[in-house]
Amino acid sequence: MRPFEVVDRLGRWSSGRGPLYLLLAGRLRQLMDDGELPPGVLLPPDRVLATALAVGRTTVVAAYDLLRAEGRITRRQGSGTRVAGVPSGERVEDAPVDPLFLDSLEARDDDVLMAVCAAPGDPPPQLAEAFVQIAPELAQIDNDIGYYPYGHPKLRQALADRYTSRGVLTRPEQVLVTNGGQQALALLARALVSPGDQVIVEAPTYPGALEVFREEGAVLRGLPVGLDGLEAAVRERRPAAAYVIPTYHNPTGAVLSTLARQRLAGAGVPLIEDEVPADLAFPGEPVLSPIAAYGDAVISIGSLSKSIWGGLRIGWIRAAPPLINRLARLRAVHDLGGNVPTQLAAVHLLPVLDAPELHETLKARHDHLHTLLTQALPTWDIPPVSGGQCLWVRLPYGDGASFAQTALRHGLAILPGTGLDITGAGNTHLRLHFRAHPTALTEAVHRLTNAWHAYHPPAVPTRIRPSIAI
C-alpha cells in the first residue's frame, strides 16, 4: 500500500485527546480491525509516514513500537513493517494461534474443543424457572416505556441489599445495572481514562480488561498479583485508575487477605475491584468482604455470567452516586438501558449465587481436571485453587503461544499466558478452565496430552496478539 493511501485512510487521526503517538496507533489499530489494513499489508517506513503526516519521526516510531508490542504489526530488517497475520489466500504452516474474542464466543462447526471461554455451558434449572416466575409481572406492566439506563429499580435494590449483607452498606442509587461485566468495564474505562493516562493492572490479569483500557488509549503498567507496591506506583506515576481481581483471581485463583484489601482501599487512586469470580468459591471456603468495605474510592463490578450463564448479560457497577450518574449518561448514549425481563429474572436468580449446588459443581470439576492433568502431565506445574474457574499452568519448557499452535492442530483451542501478562512473564503459562462438563474436560486432557507429546518448541518464543478471552 502506498504511503498516500495510508494517509488518506487515517483521516483526522490527530483530532482526539492525548499524545500524538497514541492517537496514531489508535487510528491504525481501528483500520486493522475494520479490515482496511488487512494482514500482510506493508506499512510506510517511519520517515516516509512522518513526512506525509507532518510529525516527528519519533511519533511514528513510538506508534509502531506500541502496535508491535501488542502483536498488531511485525517489523523486520529488510522486509519493512507489515500488519500481522496471514494474508488472505495464503497458507502458512504453524501460523500464530490467537483465539480472538468472536471465535471464543461463537459456536464452532468443526471438531475443535474450545477451552478458551471460561463460562458455564450448562445453565442451572433455576434460569428457566425465573422466567416463568416473572411472566405474571410482565403481564401487569402498564404505563411503563421500559427504558432504565440505571437498571430496573427491583434489581438495583436487590443488588444493594446483597452488598449490604456482605458488609458494604449500599443504597440503590449506588448501583448501575449493565449488559454484563464487560460493559461495566468498558463504561468505567471510558469515564476514568483519557489517552495517555496510566492504568495499573495485575500481571497476569483478565485480558478483557486490558483490551478495554487499550481502547481508551491507556498506558498499562503491571504489578504482581494483588497489586503489591500500588502505593509507591500511585506516588510515582499518578495513574488514572487501578484494576484488581481480589477474590479467585483470573487466572491464578489467588485470594487477597483482609489486610491486603484494606491496604489497596487506601492507596489513593480510583480502584476498580472486579468481583465477577467472587461468587465462585468452593464449599467451606471463608467469605471475605469486598475491598469496597474499606474505602469510598473503590468501584466494584460484578456479573452473573460466570456463576449462572453468560447469555443473561447481567452485570453491575457499585460506586458513589456522582460516578453512577455519569456512567448512566454514557450508557444511555449506547443502548438506552438493558433488557427488562432479564433484569426481573435476575432478581430471582441472585439467591442461586449462594446455593450449594453451584459451589459443589465447581469443586468437583476442578478436582476432575486437576487430577487428570497431574496424572497425564506430571512435569507440568499445576497449582490447585480454592475457587474461581481456571488453573494457571506453567510449562516445564517452551512457551504457551507456540504450544497453543500444536494444541490447535490436535483439536483443542487453549489460551496462552502471553495475552494476560503485559510484563511478558506469562509466556510460559497456559490458562485452562474447568467450567466444562467432565466428559469434555476428559477429552480436553486427552488432546492436550497428545499435543504435548508432539510439541517441539521453537528456538525463539512465539509472540501473539493479546486476545480477548473471558
Tab-separated table of all heavy atoms in Angstrom, residues 404-453:
chain	number	residue	atom	x	y	z
A	404	ALA	N	0.214	-23.564	22.006
A	404	ALA	CA	-1.181	-23.394	21.591
A	404	ALA	C	-1.359	-23.740	20.121
A	404	ALA	O	-2.409	-24.252	19.716
A	404	ALA	CB	-1.644	-21.966	21.860
A	405	GLN	N	-0.341	-23.477	19.306
A	405	GLN	CA	-0.407	-23.852	17.887
A	405	GLN	C	-0.486	-25.364	17.756
A	405	GLN	O	-1.300	-25.901	16.989
A	405	GLN	CB	0.832	-23.325	17.160
A	405	GLN	CG	1.000	-21.822	17.206
A	405	GLN	CD	2.344	-21.407	16.644
A	405	GLN	OE1	2.959	-22.140	15.875
A	405	GLN	NE2	2.801	-20.233	17.021
A	406	THR	N	0.369	-26.059	18.503
A	406	THR	CA	0.363	-27.521	18.461
A	406	THR	C	-0.960	-28.068	18.970
A	406	THR	O	-1.528	-29.006	18.393
A	406	THR	CB	1.522	-28.073	19.297
A	406	THR	OG1	2.758	-27.534	18.823
A	406	THR	CG2	1.586	-29.586	19.224
A	407	ALA	N	-1.475	-27.492	20.046
A	407	ALA	CA	-2.748	-27.961	20.603
A	407	ALA	C	-3.887	-27.800	19.610
A	407	ALA	O	-4.753	-28.671	19.495
A	407	ALA	CB	-3.059	-27.210	21.898
A	408	LEU	N	-3.886	-26.687	18.871
A	408	LEU	CA	-4.961	-26.479	17.898
A	408	LEU	C	-4.917	-27.521	16.796
A	408	LEU	O	-5.956	-27.971	16.306
A	408	LEU	CB	-4.870	-25.067	17.317
A	408	LEU	CG	-6.086	-24.621	16.497
A	408	LEU	CD1	-7.344	-24.585	17.352
A	408	LEU	CD2	-5.842	-23.254	15.875
A	409	ARG	N	-3.717	-27.930	16.409
A	409	ARG	CA	-3.612	-28.990	15.397
A	409	ARG	C	-4.110	-30.329	15.932
A	409	ARG	O	-4.402	-31.241	15.149
A	409	ARG	CB	-2.160	-29.123	14.926
A	409	ARG	CG	-1.667	-27.919	14.131
A	409	ARG	CD	-0.396	-28.264	13.361
A	409	ARG	NE	0.713	-28.539	14.244
A	409	ARG	CZ	1.552	-27.612	14.727
A	409	ARG	NH1	1.360	-26.332	14.417
A	409	ARG	NH2	2.538	-27.949	15.505
A	410	HIS	N	-4.227	-30.435	17.252
A	410	HIS	CA	-4.781	-31.644	17.867
A	410	HIS	C	-6.229	-31.430	18.323
A	410	HIS	O	-6.754	-32.192	19.140
A	410	HIS	CB	-3.913	-32.073	19.051
A	410	HIS	CG	-2.620	-32.707	18.642
A	410	HIS	ND1	-1.533	-31.981	18.205
A	410	HIS	CD2	-2.245	-34.017	18.576
A	410	HIS	CE1	-0.534	-32.799	17.914
A	410	HIS	NE2	-0.939	-34.037	18.115
A	411	GLY	N	-6.861	-30.359	17.812
A	411	GLY	CA	-8.291	-30.163	18.044
A	411	GLY	C	-8.644	-29.506	19.354
A	411	GLY	O	-9.757	-29.689	19.851
A	412	LEU	N	-7.723	-28.710	19.929
A	412	LEU	CA	-8.004	-28.053	21.201
A	412	LEU	C	-7.517	-26.610	21.145
A	412	LEU	O	-6.341	-26.342	20.897
A	412	LEU	CB	-7.301	-28.782	22.346
A	412	LEU	CG	-7.534	-28.223	23.755
A	412	LEU	CD1	-8.985	-28.425	24.182
A	412	LEU	CD2	-6.587	-28.879	24.762
A	413	ALA	N	-8.431	-25.655	21.374
A	413	ALA	CA	-8.074	-24.239	21.422
A	413	ALA	C	-7.893	-23.835	22.878
A	413	ALA	O	-8.822	-23.936	23.682
A	413	ALA	CB	-9.156	-23.377	20.775
A	414	ILE	N	-6.676	-23.416	23.231
A	414	ILE	CA	-6.364	-23.030	24.606
A	414	ILE	C	-5.825	-21.607	24.623
A	414	ILE	O	-5.438	-21.058	23.587
A	414	ILE	CB	-5.340	-23.983	25.248
A	414	ILE	CG1	-4.066	-24.059	24.382
A	414	ILE	CG2	-5.943	-25.361	25.457
A	414	ILE	CD1	-2.977	-24.919	24.983
A	415	LEU	N	-5.796	-21.011	25.808
A	415	LEU	CA	-5.370	-19.622	25.944
A	415	LEU	C	-3.963	-19.558	26.527
A	415	LEU	O	-3.765	-19.869	27.701
A	415	LEU	CB	-6.345	-18.868	26.842
A	415	LEU	CG	-6.118	-17.364	26.965
A	415	LEU	CD1	-6.342	-16.675	25.624
A	415	LEU	CD2	-7.031	-16.771	28.025
A	416	PRO	N	-2.962	-19.168	25.735
A	416	PRO	CA	-1.610	-18.990	26.280
A	416	PRO	C	-1.535	-17.763	27.157
A	416	PRO	O	-2.319	-16.815	27.020
A	416	PRO	CB	-0.739	-18.848	25.023
A	416	PRO	CG	-1.661	-18.311	23.983
A	416	PRO	CD	-3.018	-18.891	24.288
A	417	GLY	N	-0.568	-17.749	28.065
A	417	GLY	CA	-0.476	-16.675	29.034
A	417	GLY	C	0.039	-15.365	28.491
A	417	GLY	O	-0.044	-14.338	29.177
A	418	THR	N	0.545	-15.358	27.261
A	418	THR	CA	1.132	-14.142	26.700
A	418	THR	C	0.167	-12.969	26.733
A	418	THR	O	0.551	-11.844	27.063
A	418	THR	CB	1.581	-14.394	25.248
A	418	THR	OG1	2.354	-15.587	25.200
A	418	THR	CG2	2.387	-13.233	24.718
A	419	GLY	N	-1.084	-13.196	26.366
A	419	GLY	CA	-2.048	-12.112	26.282
A	419	GLY	C	-2.629	-11.676	27.612
A	419	GLY	O	-3.424	-10.740	27.656
A	420	LEU	N	-2.229	-12.332	28.708
A	420	LEU	CA	-2.760	-11.997	30.028
A	420	LEU	C	-1.767	-11.224	30.880
A	420	LEU	O	-2.129	-10.730	31.945
A	420	LEU	CB	-3.180	-13.266	30.778
A	420	LEU	CG	-4.450	-13.977	30.310
A	420	LEU	CD1	-4.219	-14.733	29.007
A	420	LEU	CD2	-4.942	-14.945	31.375
A	421	ASP	N	-0.506	-11.146	30.437
A	421	ASP	CA	0.544	-10.553	31.253
A	421	ASP	C	1.289	-9.500	30.446
A	421	ASP	O	2.050	-9.832	29.528
A	421	ASP	CB	1.508	-11.645	31.724
A	421	ASP	CG	2.458	-11.168	32.805
A	421	ASP	OD1	2.823	-9.972	32.782
A	421	ASP	OD2	2.850	-11.982	33.647
A	422	ILE	N	1.080	-8.227	30.773
A	422	ILE	CA	1.698	-7.162	29.975
A	422	ILE	C	3.197	-7.064	30.210
A	422	ILE	O	3.901	-6.404	29.446
A	422	ILE	CB	1.041	-5.794	30.271
A	422	ILE	CG1	1.295	-5.372	31.722
A	422	ILE	CG2	-0.434	-5.818	29.959
A	422	ILE	CD1	0.961	-3.931	31.979
A	423	THR	N	3.713	-7.735	31.253
A	423	THR	CA	5.151	-7.703	31.504
A	423	THR	C	5.904	-8.749	30.698
A	423	THR	O	7.133	-8.738	30.678
A	423	THR	CB	5.449	-7.914	32.997
A	423	THR	OG1	5.105	-9.264	33.364
A	423	THR	CG2	4.654	-6.948	33.856
A	424	GLY	N	5.178	-9.671	30.064
A	424	GLY	CA	5.815	-10.730	29.294
A	424	GLY	C	6.186	-11.947	30.112
A	424	GLY	O	6.650	-12.949	29.566
A	425	ALA	N	5.953	-11.904	31.419
A	425	ALA	CA	6.347	-13.017	32.273
A	425	ALA	C	5.431	-14.232	32.128
A	425	ALA	O	5.766	-15.318	32.594
A	425	ALA	CB	6.378	-12.572	33.735
A	426	GLY	N	4.282	-14.061	31.486
A	426	GLY	CA	3.341	-15.177	31.365
A	426	GLY	C	3.551	-16.044	30.144
A	426	GLY	O	2.715	-16.900	29.854
A	427	ASN	N	4.672	-15.867	29.434
A	427	ASN	CA	4.835	-16.601	28.179
A	427	ASN	C	5.018	-18.095	28.381
A	427	ASN	O	4.864	-18.874	27.441
A	427	ASN	CB	6.001	-16.026	27.361
A	427	ASN	CG	7.341	-16.241	28.046
A	427	ASN	OD1	7.408	-16.231	29.275
A	427	ASN	ND2	8.386	-16.423	27.276
A	428	THR	N	5.344	-18.544	29.588
A	428	THR	CA	5.498	-19.983	29.828
A	428	THR	C	4.232	-20.607	30.402
A	428	THR	O	4.248	-21.773	30.788
A	428	THR	CB	6.661	-20.235	30.811
A	428	THR	OG1	6.377	-19.569	32.048
A	428	THR	CG2	7.971	-19.730	30.234
A	429	HIS	N	3.148	-19.841	30.456
A	429	HIS	CA	1.931	-20.312	31.116
A	429	HIS	C	0.773	-20.535	30.142
A	429	HIS	O	0.758	-20.013	29.028
A	429	HIS	CB	1.482	-19.296	32.181
A	429	HIS	CG	2.337	-19.298	33.415
A	429	HIS	ND1	3.593	-18.759	33.435
A	429	HIS	CD2	2.100	-19.777	34.668
A	429	HIS	CE1	4.116	-18.898	34.651
A	429	HIS	NE2	3.228	-19.501	35.415
A	430	LEU	N	-0.197	-21.299	30.634
A	430	LEU	CA	-1.478	-21.502	29.959
A	430	LEU	C	-2.590	-21.263	30.973
A	430	LEU	O	-2.417	-21.528	32.165
A	430	LEU	CB	-1.630	-22.935	29.436
A	430	LEU	CG	-0.555	-23.511	28.539
A	430	LEU	CD1	-0.820	-24.999	28.334
A	430	LEU	CD2	-0.524	-22.791	27.197
A	431	ARG	N	-3.725	-20.765	30.485
A	431	ARG	CA	-4.917	-20.705	31.329
A	431	ARG	C	-5.863	-21.805	30.876
A	431	ARG	O	-6.325	-21.814	29.734
A	431	ARG	CB	-5.615	-19.347	31.235
A	431	ARG	CG	-6.683	-19.169	32.319
A	431	ARG	CD	-7.542	-17.939	32.088
A	431	ARG	NE	-8.546	-18.159	31.066
A	431	ARG	CZ	-9.547	-17.322	30.793
A	431	ARG	NH1	-9.639	-16.188	31.456
A	431	ARG	NH2	-10.435	-17.593	29.850
A	432	LEU	N	-6.157	-22.742	31.771
A	432	LEU	CA	-7.068	-23.849	31.479
A	432	LEU	C	-8.258	-23.753	32.423
A	432	LEU	O	-8.082	-23.745	33.642
A	432	LEU	CB	-6.355	-25.195	31.673
A	432	LEU	CG	-5.090	-25.426	30.837
A	432	LEU	CD1	-4.460	-26.761	31.214
A	432	LEU	CD2	-5.424	-25.403	29.348
A	433	HIS	N	-9.466	-23.684	31.879
A	433	HIS	CA	-10.639	-23.550	32.756
A	433	HIS	C	-11.292	-24.900	32.997
A	433	HIS	O	-11.143	-25.839	32.204
A	433	HIS	CB	-11.637	-22.547	32.169
A	433	HIS	CG	-12.488	-23.069	31.062
A	433	HIS	ND1	-13.615	-23.822	31.294
A	433	HIS	CD2	-12.385	-22.961	29.715
A	433	HIS	CE1	-14.182	-24.150	30.142
A	433	HIS	NE2	-13.452	-23.639	29.179
A	434	PHE	N	-12.027	-24.983	34.108
A	434	PHE	CA	-12.677	-26.244	34.475
A	434	PHE	C	-14.199	-26.099	34.527
A	434	PHE	O	-14.870	-26.844	35.250
A	434	PHE	CB	-12.149	-26.762	35.816
A	434	PHE	CG	-12.073	-25.742	36.923
A	434	PHE	CD1	-13.183	-25.417	37.685
A	434	PHE	CD2	-10.876	-25.115	37.212
A	434	PHE	CE1	-13.115	-24.487	38.712
A	434	PHE	CE2	-10.790	-24.184	38.239
A	434	PHE	CZ	-11.909	-23.874	38.991
A	435	ARG	N	-14.761	-25.172	33.741
A	435	ARG	CA	-16.206	-24.956	33.770
A	435	ARG	C	-16.983	-25.926	32.885
A	435	ARG	O	-18.200	-26.009	32.965
A	435	ARG	CB	-16.546	-23.523	33.346
A	435	ARG	CG	-15.917	-22.438	34.182
A	435	ARG	CD	-16.247	-22.581	35.667
A	435	ARG	NE	-17.650	-22.632	35.964
A	435	ARG	CZ	-18.421	-21.569	36.129
A	435	ARG	NH1	-17.915	-20.353	35.992
A	435	ARG	NH2	-19.689	-21.705	36.438
A	436	ALA	N	-16.297	-26.664	32.019
A	436	ALA	CA	-16.968	-27.565	31.078
A	436	ALA	C	-17.447	-28.828	31.794
A	436	ALA	O	-17.062	-29.127	32.935
A	436	ALA	CB	-16.035	-27.927	29.934
A	437	HIS	N	-18.281	-29.603	31.107
A	437	HIS	CA	-18.761	-30.888	31.620
A	437	HIS	C	-17.570	-31.840	31.774
A	437	HIS	O	-16.614	-31.783	30.997
A	437	HIS	CB	-19.799	-31.477	30.660
A	437	HIS	CG	-20.530	-32.653	31.218
A	437	HIS	ND1	-20.021	-33.935	31.147
A	437	HIS	CD2	-21.730	-32.749	31.863
A	437	HIS	CE1	-20.879	-34.771	31.718
A	437	HIS	NE2	-21.916	-34.072	32.163
A	438	PRO	N	-17.593	-32.731	32.774
A	438	PRO	CA	-16.468	-33.655	32.978
A	438	PRO	C	-16.080	-34.449	31.726
A	438	PRO	O	-14.893	-34.712	31.498
A	438	PRO	CB	-16.968	-34.573	34.090
A	438	PRO	CG	-17.910	-33.721	34.873
A	438	PRO	CD	-18.588	-32.837	33.866
A	439	THR	N	-17.067	-34.815	30.913
A	439	THR	CA	-16.740	-35.545	29.678
A	439	THR	C	-15.875	-34.699	28.754
A	439	THR	O	-14.895	-35.184	28.171
A	439	THR	CB	-18.032	-35.956	28.955
A	439	THR	OG1	-18.837	-36.753	29.824
A	439	THR	CG2	-17.707	-36.755	27.693
A	440	ALA	N	-16.230	-33.417	28.628
A	440	ALA	CA	-15.448	-32.517	27.783
A	440	ALA	C	-14.068	-32.265	28.377
A	440	ALA	O	-13.070	-32.159	27.651
A	440	ALA	CB	-16.195	-31.197	27.586
A	441	LEU	N	-13.987	-32.169	29.708
A	441	LEU	CA	-12.692	-31.976	30.351
A	441	LEU	C	-11.789	-33.179	30.126
A	441	LEU	O	-10.578	-33.036	29.891
A	441	LEU	CB	-12.886	-31.736	31.851
A	441	LEU	CG	-13.586	-30.433	32.253
A	441	LEU	CD1	-13.804	-30.397	33.761
A	441	LEU	CD2	-12.787	-29.222	31.804
A	442	THR	N	-12.353	-34.377	30.195
A	442	THR	CA	-11.564	-35.593	29.957
A	442	THR	C	-11.012	-35.607	28.535
A	442	THR	O	-9.833	-35.921	28.315
A	442	THR	CB	-12.429	-36.832	30.202
A	442	THR	OG1	-12.893	-36.827	31.557
A	442	THR	CG2	-11.641	-38.106	29.944
A	443	GLU	N	-11.849	-35.275	27.564
A	443	GLU	CA	-11.400	-35.245	26.176
A	443	GLU	C	-10.360	-34.149	25.971
A	443	GLU	O	-9.391	-34.325	25.217
A	443	GLU	CB	-12.587	-35.031	25.243
A	443	GLU	CG	-12.235	-34.941	23.759
A	443	GLU	CD	-11.587	-36.206	23.220
A	443	GLU	OE1	-11.797	-37.294	23.803
A	443	GLU	OE2	-10.854	-36.103	22.199
A	444	ALA	N	-10.537	-33.020	26.646
A	444	ALA	CA	-9.557	-31.928	26.519
A	444	ALA	C	-8.187	-32.362	27.012
A	444	ALA	O	-7.156	-32.070	26.383
A	444	ALA	CB	-10.043	-30.700	27.284
A	445	VAL	N	-8.142	-33.075	28.137
A	445	VAL	CA	-6.855	-33.549	28.664
A	445	VAL	C	-6.234	-34.563	27.713
A	445	VAL	O	-5.004	-34.575	27.509
A	445	VAL	CB	-7.036	-34.144	30.074
A	445	VAL	CG1	-5.746	-34.802	30.557
A	445	VAL	CG2	-7.469	-33.057	31.051
A	446	HIS	N	-7.057	-35.404	27.105
A	446	HIS	CA	-6.549	-36.381	26.129
A	446	HIS	C	-5.876	-35.665	24.955
A	446	HIS	O	-4.749	-36.019	24.561
A	446	HIS	CB	-7.707	-37.252	25.637
A	446	HIS	CG	-7.343	-38.167	24.520
A	446	HIS	ND1	-6.508	-39.271	24.673
A	446	HIS	CD2	-7.685	-38.145	23.197
A	446	HIS	CE1	-6.361	-39.870	23.507
A	446	HIS	NE2	-7.061	-39.222	22.603
A	447	ARG	N	-6.540	-34.648	24.420
A	447	ARG	CA	-5.961	-33.911	23.294
A	447	ARG	C	-4.744	-33.099	23.733
A	447	ARG	O	-3.769	-32.971	22.991
A	447	ARG	CB	-7.017	-32.997	22.672
A	447	ARG	CG	-8.214	-33.760	22.105
A	447	ARG	CD	-9.181	-32.846	21.385
A	447	ARG	NE	-10.398	-33.562	21.010
A	447	ARG	CZ	-11.343	-33.085	20.209
A	447	ARG	NH1	-11.215	-31.866	19.696
A	447	ARG	NH2	-12.407	-33.791	19.923
A	448	LEU	N	-4.808	-32.577	24.941
A	448	LEU	CA	-3.684	-31.800	25.457
A	448	LEU	C	-2.451	-32.681	25.614
A	448	LEU	O	-1.322	-32.269	25.274
A	448	LEU	CB	-4.080	-31.199	26.807
A	448	LEU	CG	-3.302	-29.997	27.323
A	448	LEU	CD1	-3.502	-28.788	26.417
A	448	LEU	CD2	-3.753	-29.655	28.738
A	449	THR	N	-2.658	-33.883	26.097
A	449	THR	CA	-1.547	-34.819	26.281
A	449	THR	C	-0.922	-35.202	24.945
A	449	THR	O	0.307	-35.230	24.798
A	449	THR	CB	-2.028	-36.067	27.023
A	449	THR	OG1	-2.638	-35.687	28.264
A	449	THR	CG2	-0.873	-37.014	27.300
A	450	ASN	N	-1.758	-35.494	23.958
A	450	ASN	CA	-1.238	-35.828	22.630
A	450	ASN	C	-0.458	-34.655	22.043
A	450	ASN	O	0.594	-34.832	21.403
A	450	ASN	CB	-2.382	-36.212	21.695
A	450	ASN	CG	-2.997	-37.549	22.055
A	450	ASN	OD1	-2.357	-38.382	22.717
A	450	ASN	ND2	-4.223	-37.785	21.627
A	451	ALA	N	-0.970	-33.451	22.241
A	451	ALA	CA	-0.289	-32.264	21.726
A	451	ALA	C	1.068	-32.084	22.400
A	451	ALA	O	2.059	-31.729	21.741
A	451	ALA	CB	-1.162	-31.026	21.941
A	452	TRP	N	1.133	-32.319	23.725
A	452	TRP	CA	2.398	-32.136	24.431
A	452	TRP	C	3.458	-33.138	23.955
A	452	TRP	O	4.640	-32.791	23.803
A	452	TRP	CB	2.175	-32.276	25.925
A	452	TRP	CG	3.413	-32.040	26.739
A	452	TRP	CD1	4.099	-32.949	27.484
A	452	TRP	CD2	4.116	-30.802	26.877
A	452	TRP	NE1	5.184	-32.357	28.081
A	452	TRP	CE2	5.223	-31.038	27.728
A	452	TRP	CE3	3.924	-29.514	26.372
A	452	TRP	CZ2	6.129	-30.030	28.070
A	452	TRP	CZ3	4.821	-28.517	26.705
A	452	TRP	CH2	5.914	-28.780	27.549
A	453	HIS	N	3.039	-34.358	23.708
A	453	HIS	CA	3.984	-35.362	23.219
A	453	HIS	C	4.493	-35.037	21.819
A	453	HIS	O	5.594	-35.453	21.442
A	453	HIS	CB	3.327	-36.747	23.231
A	453	HIS	CG	3.061	-37.259	24.613
A	453	HIS	ND1	2.096	-38.214	24.893
A	453	HIS	CD2	3.624	-36.948	25.810
A	453	HIS	CE1	2.087	-38.461	26.194
A	453	HIS	NE2	3.008	-37.713	26.770
